[in-house]
Amino acid sequence: MTRAAPEPRQTLDPEMVAQWLARHPDFFVGREGLLQQLRVPHPEARGATSLLERLVADLRSRAEQAEWRLEHLLESARHNEAQYRRTRELVLALVEAEDRDALGQALATQCSERFQTPALTLWCPAALTDGEPRPPQPPRQVLDDHVAQRLAALLDGRTSRCTRLTPTDWKRLVPHLPAPDTVGSCALARLTLGEPMGFLVLASPDPDHFRASMDTLFTEYVGDVVARLLARLPAPRHG
């Protein structure tokens, strides 16, 4: 009598096993001993470790990642709070200015002390300065066609922009302060309030202080505040 040939050993498809376990998450309830026998790849070294040890390692890794994300969020919150306080002090100082020259000087002082921006020019159109009893005091300057064309070229059709500033452009755009020997950087903003109100130039001898990749929201915001104050403030008095 011949024995029947054994049936070929069937191998379970791993994907099917995974899908089945996903549909039966309570499979290991009452089978804790089986959990201790399972071996999985070690996350940091060769070889295998128990499933429980792997779970502990995964939980520790997730906790570290969550802690890092929380610290990153807290650091961003601290930075945003400091930025808000500096911006608030800047705007309050501008609002307290008594005339246009005082506005420019307050802007230069606040940007230097609170935002590490050592150079600034507020270019005002001649239509705004012709009626004043004396020439504007730095950092205010009277805008002419030559400077306006250069600023428009640097802005390249944008409302604001960060870019490099050559010594030649520094002498042209920040004429009241000595130009650096090498390339610096600047943030430019077009001032408008229904009509052109001039330009705001924030400059630094550091070529990386204002980078092309930087957001210009702050510069635009300051420019909007300055444009409105320029339109409302009186001309400087004599004396």
Side-chain angles (χ1 to χ4, degrees):
M1 183 176 180
T2 58
R3 295 183 179 180
E7 295 182 0
R9 184 175 182 181
Q10 296 182 352
T11 301
L12 293 177
D13 182 2
E15 289 299 325
M16 294 180 62
V17 174
Q19 293 176 10
W20 190 90
L21 289 174
R23 293 195 302 268
H24 300 81
D26 58 344
F27 173 75
F28 290 102
V29 175
R31 299 182 176 91
E32 288 76 10
L34 181 59
L35 286 173
Q36 298 177 8
Q37 298 177 32
L38 294 178
R39 289 291 182 267
V40 294
H42 195 281
E44 299 178 357
R46 294 183 178 180
T49 183
S50 71
L51 178 61
L52 294 179
E53 291 177 351
R54 175 59 187 267
L55 289 174
V56 170
D58 287 348
L59 289 174
R60 184 182 297 112
S61 176
R62 292 182 183 181
E64 291 174 352
Q65 293 176 11
E67 184 178 358
W68 179 86
R69 287 194 294 268
L70 178 59
E71 181 59 32
H72 181 70
L73 289 173
L74 290 175
E75 183 63 27
S76 297
R78 287 190 287 265
H79 171 76
N80 291 338
E81 181 181 4
Q83 189 79 350
Y84 162 75
R85 292 184 181 277
R86 289 193 296 265
T87 303
R88 177 178 179 272
E89 294 300 324
L90 165 65
V91 172
L92 289 177
L94 298 182
V95 171
E96 292 174 355
E98 296 180 354
D99 56 46
R100 296 168 188 162
D101 276 347
L103 173 68
Q105 292 161 8
L107 181 59
T109 300
Q110 292 292 320
C111 285
S112 176
E113 294 180 353
R114 301 188 185 281
F115 298 95
Q116 291 74 54
T117 301
L120 179 149
T121 310
L122 185 56
W123 289 99
C124 298
L128 188 64
T129 59
D130 284 346
E132 297 182 359
R134 65 181 185 184
Q137 300 298 302
R140 278 211 306 152
Q141 301 284 350
V142 180
L143 182 66
D144 57 33
D145 292 340
H146 185 63
V147 172
Q149 291 174 4
R150 184 54 187 156
L151 285 168
L154 289 173
L155 282 169
D156 193 24
R158 307 174 209 183
T159 301
S160 61
R161 184 190 181 193
C162 294
T163 185
R164 294 293 178 93
L165 192 65
T166 66
T168 300
D169 277 333
W170 184 295
K171 294 176 183 177
R172 183 184 304 162
L173 303 181
V174 195
H176 57 287
L177 293 174
D181 297 329
T182 58
V183 173
S185 60
C186 67
L188 312 172
R190 192 188 308 271
L191 307 182
T192 57
L193 188 61
E195 60 183 15
M197 296 289 293
F199 297 88
L200 175 63
V201 179
L202 308 177
S204 171
D206 180 0
D208 295 322
H209 189 80
F210 296 105
R211 300 182 301 277
S213 60
M214 292 178 62
D215 184 12
T216 57
L217 182 62
F218 171 77
T219 310
E220 294 177 14
Y221 171 70
V222 173
D224 288 342
V225 173
V226 169
R228 283 159 174 75
L229 291 175
L230 279 174
R232 297 178 182 179
L233 285 172
R237 301 176 181 177
H238 285 288

